[in-house]
Amino acid sequence: MIRHQSETDLQFITDTMFVAVMDNIFLLVLVTLLSVVQNVFFALKVEKECTGQHSKQQSIAFERLSCANRNCMDTYPTFLAVLWCAGVCLSQAPAAFAGIIYLVVRQKYFVGYLGQTCQSTPGFLFGKRILFFLSLMCVVGIINHLMLTYGGSDYKEYIQTITKAASTLLLLP
Amino acid sequence: MIRHQSETDLQFITDTMFVAVMDNIFLLVLVTLLSVVQNVFFALKVEKECTGQHSKQQSIAFERLSCANRNCMDTYPTFLAVLWCAGVCLSQAPAAFAGIIYLVVRQKYFVGYLGQTCQSTPGFLFGKRILFFLSLMCVVGIINHLMLTYGGSDYKEYIQTITKAASTLLLLP
Amino acid sequence: MIRHQSETDLQFITDTMFVAVMDNIFLLVLVTLLSVVQNVFFALKVEKECTGQHSKQQSIAFERLSCANRNCMDTYPTFLAVLWCAGVCLSQAPAAFAGIIYLVVRQKYFVGYLGQTCQSTPGFLFGKRILFFLSLMCVVGIINHLMLTYGGSDYKEYIQTITKAASTLLLLP
């Protein structure tokens, strides 16, 4: 009987699947796109500084800019991996929200490095708190999945509500 | 009734799902594998040059090679992220095609950097046009999904046809 | 009739899908999280060495540490891409196992670079064998998918058993 139905069912299941997948990742895709735009902005800044350097002072500025760009690029794959894992395992809205805050922190870090003002943070790791929050979301998502598989109890909705509330705590300075 | 059916249905849905997922990503996986092979090729080139350096001229060559490799590696996560988002959100064939063109451009960039010929491009960003095309695909895919969810109209097939036609424009030098 | 059922079916299919997706990626997510923790450990090591440097000897130590960290970070996106492709295309357990071995090799590489002992390997590429194994898994997965689509024969279960057995060979030094 299943065989007989399969042509219609297959199309129906496939269509449903894609809508459901898109429903659960489109915010993550948006944040990823934003981060790509930011990467391109950083790269263009470095490129512009590189072609325009003449005096010694500009050379130092280029050095600083290049270093800030490198630090940002070094943590970029880590950020993307944690963002997507958290979004897929648990809930996309808090993950995307944390991702946007991370991008803001990164922008401030880059500009601060540039301007040599008091904002300037020399650390290799910025946004540790956000990465920690996203990692925690992954762990909670996996634990919930294991509990659902072996114990039969599903706390996903409660956890998602708590996560949404907790994500606003990231706004604290 | 759903409960009663669930054993057979569950297996059927799961199987259908995996075939559908693989159908929609295997070209992206192939392009990713190609890019990994290229990465390994670049790394081996740098490693070979590093162990073999003696004279000052070779040291400069190593410097150039290492710099070209670094520029390629810096944009690699960005490229992967945009490639997969575009492939999943809209359509895999044009995304994979753009990905392969990107790999060709990268190869030319690396070889040009090596040979100090007129091909040599000092920019930090190459293949900007391809990254822009892939980002546009993501945005179009998300807009289409939102229109489908809130408006009920689905232009995905038209958009996919247009995208396939547009991707050939990337072949223009 | 499908239209009529769709409200219940849609929920059922979507729920089944997420459980199935989580079933097939949670080990990969765990390995990714472990690699993120390792990245943070490396970055903190570099940061600590950077802020504490005074003498010339410490400056050399920082140089070495920074170089080891850079080599690890350069191959990180490649590793993640191959890990996930292999896990999704074929089977997650052997992929996750190979991923954990890769993390152990990376830890040994970093510590060896640090200590200037006989462990120290100056190569840009470490864990080539593991990357090769994961790439092979991707290729086998894609070939199996194409055979299933065009030929109708499905060897996935045999291949998964063979892959699991083969992954233990990675333990050989």
Side-chain angles (χ1 to χ4, degrees), chain A residues 39 69-70 73-74 76-77, chain B residues 35-44 46 65-80 102-103 106 109-110 124 126, chain C residues 70-79 124-125:
Chain A
N39 283 346
N69 184 45
R70 186 127 308 152
M73 286 302 112
D74 272 3
Y76 186 59
Chain B
S35 73
V36 166
V37 169
Q38 205 184 29
N39 282 347
V40 171
F41 167 76
F42 289 171
L44 288 178
V46 173
L65 207 57
S66 170
C67 181
N69 184 45
R70 183 126 311 151
N71 286 347
C72 288
M73 285 304 111
D74 272 2
T75 46
Y76 185 60
T78 309
F79 163 66
L80 271 191
Y102 182 84
L103 294 183
R106 195 164 76 148
Y109 172 79
F110 191 77
F124 288 85
F126 50 95
Chain C
R70 184 126 310 150
N71 286 348
C72 288
M73 285 303 112
D74 272 2
T75 46
Y76 185 59
T78 309
F79 163 66
F124 288 85
L125 272 177

Side-chain angles (χ1 to χ4, degrees), chain C residues 92-108:
Chain C
Q92 71 161 345
F97 180 71
I100 282 175
I101 293 179
Y102 182 84
L103 293 184
V104 171
V105 169
R106 194 165 77 149
Q107 186 73 29
K108 269 172 103 175

Side-chain angles (χ1 to χ4, degrees), chain A residues 29-169:
Chain A
V29 172
L30 272 181
V31 173
T32 306
L33 275 184
L34 271 179
S35 73
V36 167
V37 169
Q38 205 182 29
N39 283 346
V40 170
F41 167 75
F42 289 171
L44 288 178
K45 274 273 184 200
V46 174
E47 198 171 347
K48 192 182 153 199
E49 196 71 38
C50 177
T51 54
Q53 63 175 295
H54 296 292
S55 64
K56 195 175 177 186
Q57 211 206 334
Q58 275 177 316
S59 178
I60 292 169
F62 170 68
E63 203 66 42
R64 285 181 70 82
L65 206 57
S66 170
C67 181
N69 184 45
R70 186 127 308 152
N71 286 348
C72 288
M73 286 302 112
D74 272 3
T75 45
Y76 186 59
T78 309
F79 163 66
L80 270 192
V82 183
L83 172 74
W84 279 85
C85 285
V88 170
C89 288
L90 197 58
S91 174
Q92 70 161 347
F97 181 70
I100 282 174
I101 292 179
Y102 182 84
L103 293 184
V104 171
V105 169
R106 195 165 75 149
Q107 185 73 30
K108 269 173 102 173
Y109 172 79
F110 191 78
V111 171
Y113 226 104
L114 228 85
Q116 278 176 293
T117 62
C118 56
Q119 285 177 312
S120 167
T121 43
F124 288 84
L125 272 176
F126 50 95
K128 282 170 212 168
R129 203 170 36 155
I130 300 165
L131 291 180
F132 179 73
F133 174 74
L134 288 170
S135 305
L136 204 71
M137 276 180 69
C138 295
V139 173
V140 170
I142 290 175
I143 290 172
N144 182 61
H145 171 71
L146 293 179
M147 268 164 55
L148 176 62
T149 310
Y150 296 109
S153 51
D154 189 2
Y155 300 111
K156 202 169 183 184
E157 282 182 33
Y158 302 102
I159 293 170
Q160 283 180 349
T161 313
I162 294 167
T163 313
K164 269 171 204 159
S167 68
T168 55
L169 290 177

Side-chain angles (χ1 to χ4, degrees), chain B residues 26-157:
Chain B
F26 77 95
L27 285 176
L28 298 175
V29 172
L30 273 181
V31 173
T32 306
L33 275 185
L34 271 179
S35 73
V36 166
V37 169
Q38 205 184 29
N39 282 347
V40 171
F41 167 76
F42 289 171
L44 288 178
K45 275 272 183 199
V46 173
E47 198 171 348
K48 192 183 154 201
E49 195 72 38
C50 178
T51 52
Q53 63 175 295
H54 296 293
S55 65
K56 196 176 175 186
Q57 210 206 333
Q58 274 177 315
S59 176
I60 292 170
F62 169 67
E63 202 66 42
R64 286 180 69 82
L65 207 57
S66 170
C67 181
N69 184 45
R70 183 126 311 151
N71 286 347
C72 288
M73 285 304 111
D74 272 2
T75 46
Y76 185 60
T78 309
F79 163 66
L80 271 191
V82 183
L83 173 74
W84 278 84
C85 285
V88 170
C89 287
L90 197 58
S91 174
Q92 71 160 346
F97 181 71
I100 283 175
I101 293 179
Y102 182 84
L103 294 183
V104 171
V105 169
R106 195 164 76 148
Q107 186 73 29
K108 269 172 101 173
Y109 172 79
F110 191 77
V111 171
Y113 225 102
L114 230 85
Q116 276 177 293
T117 62
C118 56
Q119 285 177 311
S120 167
T121 43
F124 288 85
L125 272 176
F126 50 95
K128 282 171 213 167
R129 203 168 38 153
I130 299 165
L131 290 180
F132 179 74
F133 174 74
L134 288 170
S135 304
L136 205 69
M137 276 180 70
C138 295
V139 172
V140 170
I142 290 174
I143 291 173
N144 182 62
H145 171 71
L146 293 180
M147 267 164 56
L148 176 61
T149 310
Y150 296 110
S153 51
D154 190 0
Y155 301 110
K156 202 169 183 184
E157 282 183 33

Side-chain angles (χ1 to χ4, degrees), chain B residues 2 10 13 17-19 22-23 25-26 29-30 32-33 36 39-40 43-44 46-47 70 73 76-77 80 84, chain C residues 9 12-13 16-17 20-21 24 70 74 77-78 81-82 85 88-89 123-125 135 138-139 141-142 145-146 148:
Chain B
I2 291 279
L10 217 136
I13 292 172
M17 203 185 90
F18 281 111
V19 174
M22 277 304 288
D23 261 342
I25 64 165
F26 77 95
V29 172
L30 273 181
T32 306
L33 275 185
V36 166
N39 282 347
V40 171
L44 288 178
V46 173
E47 198 171 348
R70 183 126 311 151
M73 285 304 111
Y76 185 60
L80 271 191
W84 278 84
Chain C
D9 273 17
F12 178 67
I13 292 171
T16 310
M17 202 185 90
V21 165
N24 279 279
R70 184 126 310 150
D74 272 2
T78 309
V82 183
C85 286
V88 171
C89 287
F124 288 85
L125 272 177
S135 305
C138 295
V139 173
I142 290 174
H145 171 71
L146 293 179
L148 177 61

